[in-house]
Amino acid sequence: MIARIPQLQRFLYSHYFFGGLRQAIGVLLPALILMGVFQMYSVGMIAAIGAACVAIIDQPGGPRRYGTNGMLAAILLGSATAAVTGLASSHSLLIWLVVPCLCFLFSMFTVFGKQGGLLGFACLLIMTLTMRVPLDPHEVLQHTVYSFLGGVFYFVFSFAAHRLLWHREELQALSVALFATADYMAARSRFYDVNSDLDESYRLLIHAQSAMTDKHQAARDTVLRELPKGRGRADRLRTASLNIFIDMVALLDSLVATHTDYATLRRTLPNSDVLIFSRDALRKLSINVSAIAFNVARNRHVKERNSVKAELRAIEYELEKYREGGLADGDPEVYALLVQVLRRLRNATRLVDRMAGHLSGSGNTELVDMRLDKSLDRFLSRKTWRLGMLTSNLRMDSSHFRYASRVAIAALLAMTLSAALSHTPILGSMGSGLSAHSYWIVLTVLVVMKPGFALTRQRNGWRLVGTLIGCALALVLFNVTHSPDVYLAVLVVTCVLGYSLIQVNFMAAAIFNTLFVLLVFHFLSPTTNAVIGERLVDTFIGCGLALLCSYILPWWEHGFMASLARAARKSNQAFLKTGLRYAELTRAQAAAHAARNSQPQRETQGDGATVEPAAIEGLDTQQHEAEVRWRVARKNMHIAFGNFAAAFYRMMDEPIKRQNNVPELNNLLIQNHVLASQITSAIPILAGLDHVPEGIRKSLEAVELYLDDKDADPPASIETEGELAALAYPLRQMVKAAQLIRQEMRGLETAGSGS
């Protein structure tokens, strides 16, 4: 039996480790060459700093055009920042004005999203490392040029690495998304375990879905950035990756569409073997997807998989027993629900097997869904940077303005405290060390402070613990060996791991970054270990200042929650409308093709009604366009829900008195998830009907009215004959969820206006 892939193996084959290795080589190489070959220690350090700032932008995942533009912007803005900071560093008063102003300006870059925040932090990092020593005016130009050349070197190196290793990047981004999908499947399997708590299972599921949404978007931006155009080897590789991605998204759709009232299911069938078999089947499929992800990362074929045939056959047997026992007649909706679970498990099994088949090396170069070939670029992230986005947020009610103000104030306080400590006689000999490395306090503040209070507090703890462990490890290393070769090897390893873990485990990244920095200073000044104590003290001071300044002009998460809830409702509304349009055109297309196929018989019988081929072709085009729009709306729905869920759980990490409207928001979170799941389930069924019965049509209209915040009168009963029984449960859940969303949103708006 295939076992789960250990986390360490997942990390070592991920694009996080691969990206960290690329970043470390690009940063260390100019320094090692200049220092080791030409003995130019100061120049090598400056060039490495310039390269390190550009490396911050070069994060794993995402469209290359954004990474390329971001790195170019980092080179230009970073060089300008180095020049301004260098000129101000020799003026004791001017530096006190320049540093807070630059902190405010570059912290405002968060208005441009994640990429803007990284660019702003890169510029702040080069500012902080430039202010560590005062520069004479004639040295500023040299410093700026060396920093610029270091950044250019990293850009050229990274561009070449991306061009040569593009397929490896695609596979690793896809692998991370597949692992996240497997984790999501494992979280869903808990709902079929009668011994697991439903509320806890729901929290784990939403966390897993939020993490999975980000990784799916990263894979989408990587895999879809260049589509196959011909029959060459590169196009065959792109097609294989694209096929796995398409099936992965289809698998997710199948899973999302299986949302069930698990409490009712457990209450109706408390000792049912169907639940056990469903749980085991999902867990096995989760392990299979993990194995596929691991083999995708290694670019190897799948040789062995867990079989779920036994579980599927056991579920079939149990359903037959229930049917014979009268469940299909006595409680048709529950029976139809169980049948749907079986069908979707079969569908998931088929998709997982097909994904494994893409890795079999069969050489198939055809897309599994040819209709998507020309429309996949619509699923890529779109980012627009405008100066107006910056200027329009220069107001007190902007969270970005408040965050930038906090960072500027914290940096000013850090400089003030550093100056005060360096002139305190009681510190004795340690005072000179604190003065020499006082920029560490500013750097700690910039690293730890985030727009949200919860993230800042989290990073505070992780940074403190990581620094403490890193200092302890450095002290042990310096006392165990004095070999420069060992120090150099450890320095390279810690640099790679520090870059690799920054998005995975911030505390572990802080450990390795601390050890890396201490090794760098040990090479520059090997006579003393006092730098370890200085690093520890400065980190504690910086973390304390960051936490204290988090209470200055705070912007708590509850201030965003209403807008995020509205965005989630709006995305579900668009998901439903585009889905209904897709189902309508699919029914019209099927009717047109049926009429076309029966046309020769009508012509023989003298019936003059005909269906023009051009009309059918136009209908096919409209149907395809509607399907693409529905899929894009589904992607947007997942992103909006993930943003809402992430913000809600961040709010729950804030002080209790700042946690407003928790019951309403929690219910909104659940009901939006329920609604999205049932829309995913209902639309394909609606698309397969010949016509929509009156009761079902009125129920759908009621859902739309509720989402429009209007009164509605859903029918008391709907049609359940034949295949319509499979539609009854999703529709009732949709009506109920939409009604509760309207109710909770009204309560949220009332509470917001009251406060």
Side-chain angles (χ1 to χ4, degrees):
M1 180 176 178
I2 301 296
R4 292 193 179 276
I5 308 300
Q7 291 291 331
L8 180 59
Q9 282 186 297
R10 291 171 57 164
F11 169 70
L12 291 177
Y13 282 98
S14 70
H15 64 357
Y16 300 116
F17 181 74
F18 184 76
L21 183 62
R22 181 184 66 245
Q23 291 170 303
I25 293 174
V27 170
L28 290 178
L29 198 56
L32 293 176
I33 292 174
L34 291 171
M35 292 180 180
V37 178
F38 300 102
Q39 308 300 311
M40 301 171 67
Y41 294 100
S42 60
V43 175
M45 178 70 74
I46 297 169
I49 290 172
C53 293
V54 179
I56 291 174
I57 310 298
D58 189 25
Q59 296 295 328
R64 282 303 311 148
R65 63 183 181 277
Y66 295 137
T68 301
N69 294 339
M71 286 191 287
L72 289 174
I75 293 172
L76 297 177
L77 284 178
S79 300
T81 302
V84 171
T85 309
L87 289 171
S89 63
S90 58
H91 298 79
S92 56
L93 293 179
L94 187 59
I95 191 69
W96 288 74
L97 176 64
V98 168
V99 170
C101 289
L102 289 178
C103 287
F104 178 84
L105 172 64
F106 290 125
S107 296
M108 282 293 297
F109 276 32
T110 54
V111 302
F112 301 123
K114 180 181 178 181
Q115 196 77 359
L118 290 174
L119 177 58
F121 178 73
C123 294
L124 291 176
L125 178 61
I126 204 168
M127 175 204 75
T128 308
L129 296 178
T130 302
M131 62 181 280
R132 63 192 176 93
V133 289
L135 298 175
D136 294 330
H138 68 276
E139 297 176 316
V140 173
L141 179 60
Q142 286 183 335
H143 183 97
T144 304
V145 170
Y146 296 148
S147 176
F148 174 81
L149 292 177
V152 170
F153 172 84
Y154 184 89
F155 174 80
V156 173
F157 168 79
S158 176
F159 186 82
H162 284 297
R163 293 289 293 178
L164 292 173
L165 302 172
W166 62 269
H167 185 53
R168 171 62 55 186
E169 290 181 1
E170 282 189 359
L171 293 179
Q172 288 173 330
L174 188 58
S175 171
V176 170
L178 284 166
F179 274 125
T181 305
D183 294 339
Y184 178 79
M185 295 171 70
R188 288 200 74 93
S189 70
R190 288 174 52 92
F191 287 97
Y192 296 101
D193 187 349
V194 294
N195 296 317
S196 64
D197 180 69
L198 280 179
D199 291 337
E200 177 64 19
S201 297
Y202 223 106
R203 281 191 291 271
L204 292 173
L205 181 72
I206 291 177
H207 275 298
Q209 181 170 341
S210 180
M212 179 183 63
T213 299
D214 293 336
K215 293 174 175 61
H216 271 228
Q217 188 59 47
R220 187 177 287 113
D221 289 336
T222 304
V223 174
L224 305 186
R225 67 188 173 198
E226 190 169 348
L227 301 178
K229 300 174 183 177
R231 298 287 179 176
R233 178 178 179 273
D235 288 304
R236 288 197 299 270
L237 295 175
R238 289 191 177 98
T239 300
S241 300
L242 189 53
N243 281 336
I244 295 174
F245 175 80
I246 292 172
D247 283 339
M248 178 184 69
V249 174
L251 176 62
L252 173 61
D253 293 340
S254 181
L255 293 171
V256 169
T258 60
H259 180 84
T260 307
D261 188 349
Y262 295 100
T264 300
L265 199 59
R266 291 181 180 187
R267 185 171 59 252
T268 306
L269 306 170
N271 300 313
S272 173
D273 288 339
V274 172
L275 299 182
I276 298 175
F277 295 136
S278 300
R279 178 201 64 190
D280 293 345
L282 263 181
R283 287 180 179 175
K284 283 186 175 182
L285 289 174
S286 170
I287 294 172
N288 285 346
V289 173
S290 292
I292 292 172
F294 191 50
N295 283 285
V296 165
R298 299 186 301 168
N299 198 18
R300 295 185 182 178
H301 303 326
V302 175
K303 297 180 179 179
E304 186 180 355
R305 297 192 301 276
N306 294 315
S307 174
V308 296
K309 290 182 179 178
E311 283 77 12
L312 294 179
R313 288 173 179 170
I315 294 174
E316 291 174 0
Y317 174 74
E318 291 297 323
L319 287 181
E320 182 63 23
K321 286 175 57 179
Y322 283 134
R323 190 184 65 80
E324 293 175 354
L327 181 64
D329 298 325
D331 201 340
E333 290 187 19
V334 172
Y335 183 77
L337 179 61
L338 294 175
V339 171
Q340 287 179 13
V341 170
L342 174 61
R343 288 176 178 173
R344 288 176 180 129
L345 283 174
R346 284 176 180 162
N347 188 46
T349 303
R350 179 183 60 82
L351 290 169
V352 172
D353 289 341
R354 196 164 72 178
M355 280 194 290
H358 298 317
L359 294 176
S360 64
S362 60
N364 181 25
T365 60
E366 297 296 332
L367 285 178
V368 294
D369 193 341
M370 296 298 296
R371 298 170 301 166
L372 297 178
D373 191 15
K374 304 299 182 183
S375 56
L376 286 170
D377 62 328
R378 301 192 200 181
F379 295 86
L380 294 171
S381 298
R382 305 292 180 188
K383 300 185 179 81
T384 303
W385 289 27
R386 300 187 310 274
L387 181 62
M389 297 170 65
L390 199 65
T391 56
S392 64
N393 277 275
L394 296 175
R395 60 184 195 277
M396 284 299 295
D397 61 343
S398 167
S399 60
H400 304 288
F401 179 85
R402 289 178 172 232
Y403 167 63
S405 300
R406 286 197 300 274
V407 173
I409 294 171
L412 187 60
L413 289 176
M415 295 174 65
T416 304
L417 191 56
S418 299
L421 289 174
S422 64
H423 292 88
T424 302
I426 196 172
L427 294 177
S429 60
M430 194 176 181
S432 60
L434 286 171
S435 177
H437 303 122
S438 60
Y439 65 92
W440 276 350
I441 301 178
V442 179
L443 182 59
T444 300
V445 166
L446 297 177
V447 169
V448 169
M449 289 198 75
K450 291 295 170 184
F453 177 86
L455 286 177
T456 300
R457 187 173 66 176
Q458 260 186 350
R459 288 208 165 199
N460 246 306
W462 292 338
R463 177 81 171 182
L464 285 172
V465 174
T467 301
L468 184 62
I469 296 174
C471 289
L473 291 176
L475 194 60
V476 170
L477 179 65
F478 294 154
N479 285 279
V480 167
T481 180
H482 299 284
S483 170
D485 294 334
V486 174
Y487 291 165
L488 182 61
V490 175
L491 183 145
V492 173
V493 171
T494 53
C495 183
V496 172
L497 292 177
Y499 276 114
S500 302
L501 290 166
I502 194 67
Q503 294 188 66
V504 180
N505 189 316
F506 185 80
M507 188 179 75
I511 294 173
F512 292 113
N513 284 331
T514 298
L515 192 53
F516 169 75
V517 170
L518 293 175
L519 282 166
V520 169
F521 279 98
H522 189 80
F523 273 111
L524 296 177
S525 180
T527 57
T528 177
N529 289 335
V531 69
I532 297 177
E534 296 163 15
R535 172 78 174 185
L536 192 59
V537 171
D538 288 340
T539 299
F540 270 85
I541 294 173
C543 287
L545 281 175
L547 187 61
L548 180 66
C549 291
S550 295
Y551 292 93
I552 298 175
L553 297 176
W555 183 271
W556 306 102
E557 290 291 345
H558 70 74
F560 282 113
M561 296 310 301
S563 62
L564 291 173
R566 285 192 293 269
R569 180 185 65 179
K570 185 177 179 180
S571 67
N572 258 325
Q573 192 174 14
F575 185 40
L576 175 61
K577 287 184 177 180
T578 54
L580 292 177
R581 178 60 177 166
Y582 159 65
E584 177 186 352
L585 288 172
T586 302
R587 291 193 299 271
Q589 180 193 43
H593 280 283
R596 176 65 177 172
N597 292 335
S598 63
Q599 186 168 304
Q601 180 180 0
R602 294 199 309 271
E603 291 175 348
T604 302
Q605 297 173 353
D607 189 345
T610 61
V611 180
E612 296 295 334
I616 294 181
E617 184 178 348
L619 198 56
D620 289 344
T621 302
Q622 292 180 45
Q623 190 271 346
H624 171 61
E625 177 68 19
E627 182 179 7
V628 172
R629 289 179 181 273
W630 185 50
R631 295 186 184 218
V632 173
R634 178 186 60 201
K635 181 207 75 168
N636 295 336
M637 175 271 298
H638 284 307
I639 293 174
F641 179 81
N643 292 337
F644 183 29
F648 176 77
Y649 287 113
R650 285 198 303 268
M651 185 187 75
M652 297 306 294
D653 289 332
E654 293 179 344
I656 294 178
K657 64 180 180 180
R658 302 297 180 183
Q659 299 174 12
N660 295 353
N661 308 310
V662 172
E664 293 84 355
L665 292 170
N666 184 61
N667 199 24
L668 276 171
L669 199 64
I670 294 173
Q671 297 307 324
N672 273 287
H673 187 271
V674 170
L675 180 60
S677 300
Q678 301 306 342
I679 291 172
T680 306
S681 176
I683 293 301
I685 301 175
L686 287 168
L689 298 178
D690 293 331
H691 69 284
V692 180
E694 183 71 13
I696 292 176
R697 184 182 60 79
K698 288 185 176 180
S699 295
L700 291 170
E701 290 175 353
V703 173
E704 292 188 277
L705 287 171
Y706 283 138
L707 293 178
D708 275 330
D709 195 21
K710 298 177 181 177
D711 293 328
D713 186 21
S717 62
I718 59 177
E719 297 79 3
T720 58
E721 299 81 11
E723 287 294 322
L724 296 179
L727 195 56
Y729 179 82
L731 273 180
R732 289 198 177 95
Q733 292 296 307
M734 287 168 61
V735 171
K736 180 181 177 182
Q739 190 175 22
L740 289 174
I741 288 173
R742 183 198 186 206
Q743 175 183 324
E744 298 295 356
M745 285 299 301
R746 284 193 163 189
L748 201 62
E749 300 289 353
T750 302
S753 61
S755 61

